[in-house]
Every structure is written in structure tokens, then in C-alpha cells.
Amino acid sequence: MRRKVVFLLLTVLAVFSLTGLAAEKKLTVISGWSGPEMDAFMPVLKEFEKETGIRVDYQIYRAEDLAVLLPAQFDSKTAPADVIFMWAWFINKQAQNGHVLEVTGALNESDFVPGVLDAVKSGGKLWGAPYTGKIKPGFWYRKSFFKQHGLAVPNTWEEFVDLCARIKKLPGVRAPIASGNGVGWPLSDVTEHFIATFGGPEMTRDLIAGKVKWTDPAVRAIFENRLAPLLKAGYFSEPIEWTMAADLWWAGDYALFFMGSWITGMVKDPADLGVFALPGARGLVFGTDYAFVPAYTKYPAEARKLLAHLATRGQTLQVAAGGHIATYTGAPLDVYPPVDREVAALLRGREALPDLDDTIGGEWQPAFWDQLKLLWVSPDRVGEVLDTLQRKAGK
Amino acid sequence: MRTLRGRALFFVPALALLAVFVVYPVVNTVWLSFFTSEGQFALLGNYGEVLSQPEMFDPRGFARGFPYGALVHNVMWIVIHLPLTAGLGLVLAVILREIRGGAIVKSIIFLGMVTPMVVGGVILRFLFDGNVGILPSLMSIVGIPRRTLTAYPDTALFSLILGSLWLWTPFSMILYSAGLETIPDYVYEAAVIDGASPMRAFFAITVPMLRPVTGVVITMTFLWVLKIFDIVYVATMGGPGGASNVLALQMYMYAFREFDANSAAVVATLLMLVALAVSIPTFRSVRGEQP
């Protein structure tokens, strides 16, 4: 009798442990999205859980922190998550060191915007998947604010400068343009827009490739003749934490705000949003988010499946929430909110450019952010800023 | 002998831990600092290379203003922060000893000390923010235009130093408070009988008799300032344009941004040497004064 009881208990224990093990299979996803951006992303993961029965945990880490954390983890053959959103340059670099799971064949490459996979390809192999992209289209404004003050979207550089001058005189407005600051990337976005507008898409590409120096007279001219005069005139605010800047801009403390297309998912009334690029802009930055599977995942098959889901069906769900533009061509246009269609329209006739600092990466990226913070409050130090950027680029 | 051996056994775990987690990393760091990132022995070549970087020392700063380089910024931090925190701590300890409810006030001041430095850094960022900060608001009352003090090269470092006083002064205040309790009352009573004023008693009795405590305060504060990192990292990330960069942050940049362990080891070794040069004589002199 006692033997039977022991046998029964052992059987029950074995069944429970097996089911327990099965239930414990879960994947972890890391990205930098928090707040409203995270809320818009969670349904994408929920859909995967529903379809596969695999639990997915979500953790928030900024890319800047991951750049510090991941190399040490990878060196000890561990990974904090099964799918990680990260800069393309970082994914490629880690792939070269053998820390990234190859995902060639996990995606049908013809289903994506041409060229978007190139950033995570090396040696003819695919090391990551593209997620949605965000356009950095230009200056956002509230249509109601422009209407109230009789302002109009500028069609020339002179009109843009004039618009800033008019806004600066408005009572209650602290400065025409709110300068968002985080670790520094919002300032880099607006600077890249100036480079792409006045230097053309080719200057952006040449700076990325290192073919043009930051001290080149043509680059210097953009900083000295276009950006610095606006800064000196007080048309840009001092750097403000970017979510706070968004609130202040929405409240009317500032009239214009340079931000990526994700702003449409952050404001109370997206229908009140308008956006314009700098007059003459021939290219706009289209920054794609990329994800990869570390080589040290416990569940490589499931992680690849999740990566494929994110890159395809996940994109369709994400763009419907607003603020994102799909790189997956299978995402139907009618799922986009109207304001995002307007953003997408800005790309018409313009070249989609890679994000400059995200593409160069490395130690240059934080130096770029930090030097721009200096430029924003000390615009007369343009030469010094460009010299430092060139010194860092040459390392 | 057996007893001695038996006793020595108790030291083995601690010694083993020290060897693995202190001695080995220190020796390895110093060793690394003599090699280039390509693995070639460079003796002091790395030191020359690191010290010639503008991030470490930028002589142009003396003509133009901030940044001066992490090395100079650390010196400025020590020169400003150390006397202020030690002086303030002593004055607060003396005053709060005399007044009613002093213990409660001390507890409130001590909150700065128990605040994690990272949280302290975040608070400082908002404290000096032009839109929501208390200090810019107070400054605007007296006619100084509001601005984010940590965003400008000429005020970023000073703002952090000022903010760090709030976080570190409680340490010296508590140490001085404990030190004051060790001074016998009859010494002050004798001074009063001899006609000494409170100020005279402060400089002739309190200050000299607290000398060992002052030694500890100076040494600990010096070491804290020397390795200051978290506040700077969170509040300004060493910016703008490196205007608030410090040695520990530069070491972090070398190690985790540039993945240059050798240059990071150079900064770490320099920090260690300075720390040893200051702390060993101070602790020796303090020990020499003990009965």
C-alpha cells in the first residue's frame, strides 16, 4: 500500500513538473519603449501569445544602456532576453563576434521595403529583422495654434525664418521651437534634418561613410549659416527633457517641435497635428527599429518565430496604433490612422535617409549628442564643436 | 603555535575574498594600463596618450572657459566641495547641538545622505531645470533670467557641486556631532570661567579637539569626490560638451563606450594613486594622535 502511495505521489509530481516546465517556456523581449509607446506595443506581443501559447515578458531598457550591458553579458555567454531591439550597427558588430543568432530564411526578404534589410546583413547572412520605421519629418505644430495666430506653413527658408520671428513676438510663447533633449538624440534629429536639407541626401550618406569631414566648408556652412543664426536669435529653446518639451509645446509654450512620427501616438488630439519639413528638404530620415535574437537564447526556434511575427503581422498591429510606418509591405494602408498617412505623404518625392548617428554609432554617437548640447547653448562655438566631431570620427 | 595557526585559519576566507576581489583586480588594472589595446607593452605610453586627450586636460579652457578636462574638473570639485562640506558639517553640528529639536533637524538633513546618489542626480536635474526647478525660480525672483543651470557649460559643474553639498554634508555633520560628544563639558566650563567667548571656545577647543574627526571627514570626502560618478552620469552625462566631465565618468566612457579597457585602466590607476597619496598620510596622522 505504501509503495502504491509513493508511486502515485511520484507520478503526480512528475506530471506536475513536466506541465510546469512546459508552462514555464517564456520569451523575453527588450526594447526602449515605455509609457504610451509601450502601451501601443503590448498588443503585438499579446497577439503572439494568443497565436502560439508562448508567454512573452516585456522589459524596458534604453539602447544606450543596452550598449553597455550587452557586451559584458555576451562575453559571459548569457543574454538578458530572447529578442532585443537595438541599433543596426550594434547588431552587426555583435554578429561579427558570434553573439547573434543567424535568422536567414526566417523572413521573406521580398516582403520588405527595398534596402531595409541591408543594415542587418553581413557576409550574405541576415542577423536581425526590421520592425517599423519612424520618419523624422520636420517641425510639428498645432493646427489650432497656427489658426489662432494667423500663421502659415513656410515655403521658403526666408519664410521659415520669418515665421520664427513672428512666433517669438507672440505673448506667452517662450521660444518658437521647443528643443527636446534626452541623452541628446532629439537635437541630433533636428541637426540631421538641416544637413539633409542644405547638404542634400548625399552629404548625409558621405558623412556616414566618412567621405566628408565634419570640418568640411560645406558642412561648416550649414552649421554657421543656417543652424547657428537660429540658435543665436533664440528661436530654439534651451534643451528640455523631451517628454516635458512635448507637453510644453502642446500647451502652447512653444509653437514648433521637431520630433519623429511617433509624436502622433503621444498627443491628446492627433487631428490637431500638422507637420512641415524645412523648405527645400530633398531627403527625410527614416529610422527603422531593428530586433535580433542573441545566440545565447534558451529557445532559438521560438525566438525566431517571435522575430518573424514582429517583422510581419506585428508591424500591421503596430502601425494601426499610430506613430509608426511599416517596413513590411504586407501591412495594408487602410490600417494607418489618417495623421500617419499625412506623414507618409511627406516622403513622396523625397529620399528616405538612414539615421546618421544611429548608423555611425560607437563612441562618436554620444559625442555627437553631447557636442550638440553645447552648440545649442553656445552657438558661437560651432568651430570647436565640428573639430571635436571630426576628431571623434577619425578615431 | 597551534592556537596561532588555529586563529590564522579564521583569516583565510577573508584573505581569499580580498585576494580575488580586491588584490587581483587592482594588480590586473595596473598591469593593463601598461599595455596598448593591441596588447603591446607601452610602459607609460598609455599614460601620455590618455593625459594628452582634451577630455582629460584641455588647456584651451583657460582662455575660453569650460570644459577644462576631467582632471581639472575633479580638482575644482575638490577645492570647492571639500572645504564647504567640512565647514558646513561642523557649523551645523555645533549649532544643532545647542538648539532644542536639533536631533530632529539633524535627521531631516541626514535624509540627503540616505538618498541613493542616482536618485540624487535625478533630483538635481529637476532642481536646476529652467521650467520646473526651484533654484531657477528663486533666481528669477531676484531678476536673474530662468535657465536650466545644468544645460550651460559655465554653470553645469558648479550646479552639480552645489547639489552634491546637499547629498554629502550630512555625512560630515554626523561625524562632527559624534566627535562633539567626546569633548568633556568641563573643558568648556573651564573656558567660560576663564572668560572665553563662545567664538574663542569654538576655535581654541572645538576645532583642535575635533582634529581627528576632521582628518576622517577630509579623507572620506576627498575619496568620495575623487570617484564621483553617479550624480554626474545621471544629471548631465558630463555635458554639455564635456563641461562637467569627471575622471570616473571618463573612465566609464573609455571602458564601456569605446571598449578601451587599457585607457580606462590608466584613469583607474591614476585615481588609485591619488587616493593612496592622500589617504595614507591622513590616516597615519590621525592614528598618531590617538592615545
Side-chain angles (χ1 to χ4, degrees), chain A residues 73-255:
Chain A
Q73 291 250 322
F74 289 167
D75 279 345
S76 58
K77 313 277 185 217
T78 57
D82 305 283
V83 173
I84 301 172
F85 282 83
M86 197 47 184
W87 298 309
W89 69 267
F90 185 90
I91 297 173
N92 268 333
K93 193 173 179 187
Q94 297 307 319
Q96 285 166 18
N97 298 332
H99 300 311
V100 178
L101 193 76
E102 188 193 337
V103 289
T104 312
L107 306 172
N108 184 354
E109 296 188 19
S110 61
D111 288 343
F112 294 88
V113 170
V116 78
L117 291 165
D118 294 350
V120 282
K121 256 183 176 177
S122 62
K125 293 173 181 173
L126 188 66
W127 300 104
Y131 192 57
T132 53
K134 283 129 183 177
I135 301 176
K136 319 274 176 78
F139 296 91
W140 295 90
Y141 62 93
R142 289 190 71 170
K143 288 173 183 169
S144 56
F145 183 94
F146 265 43
K147 195 177 171 188
Q148 183 191 341
H149 297 288
L151 304 170
V153 169
N155 293 311
T156 62
W157 167 251
E158 287 72 26
E159 282 180 21
F160 176 73
V161 177
D162 185 51
L163 173 70
C164 291
R166 280 188 65 192
I167 294 170
K168 194 168 168 58
K169 288 176 190 159
L170 292 176
V173 173
R174 297 192 201 189
I177 308 165
S179 303
N181 184 27
V183 285
W185 57 262
L187 304 184
S188 65
D189 285 349
V190 67
T191 307
E192 286 177 41
H193 187 60
F194 271 75
I195 292 170
T197 301
F198 299 109
E202 51 282 358
M203 184 181 277
T204 301
R205 280 195 298 268
D206 287 349
L207 282 167
I208 290 171
K211 289 180 188 168
V212 168
K213 289 186 174 178
W214 286 90
T215 47
D216 186 281
V219 180
R220 192 180 288 268
I222 294 169
F223 278 79
E224 283 180 348
N225 304 334
R226 305 288 184 172
L227 196 50
L230 299 185
L231 291 164
K232 283 178 187 167
Y235 293 164
F236 281 96
S237 76
E238 62 179 21
I240 308 165
E241 197 282 320
W242 77 276
T243 53
M244 195 196 294
D247 290 341
L248 292 168
W249 157 69
W250 192 254
D253 289 34
Y254 304 96

Side-chain angles (χ1 to χ4, degrees), chain A residues 174 238 363 370 381 384 391, chain B residues 55 66 131 148 152 242:
Chain A
R174 297 192 201 189
E238 62 179 21
E363 63 164 303
D370 191 38
R381 290 167 78 166
E384 184 191 330
R391 182 168 58 82
Chain B
E55 285 79 15
F66 283 95
N131 292 295
T148 301
Y152 291 83

Side-chain angles (χ1 to χ4, degrees), chain B residues 182-196:
Chain B
T182 65
I183 303 174
D185 286 342
Y186 65 79
V187 181
Y188 288 108
E189 286 161 9
V192 170
I193 292 165
D194 290 343

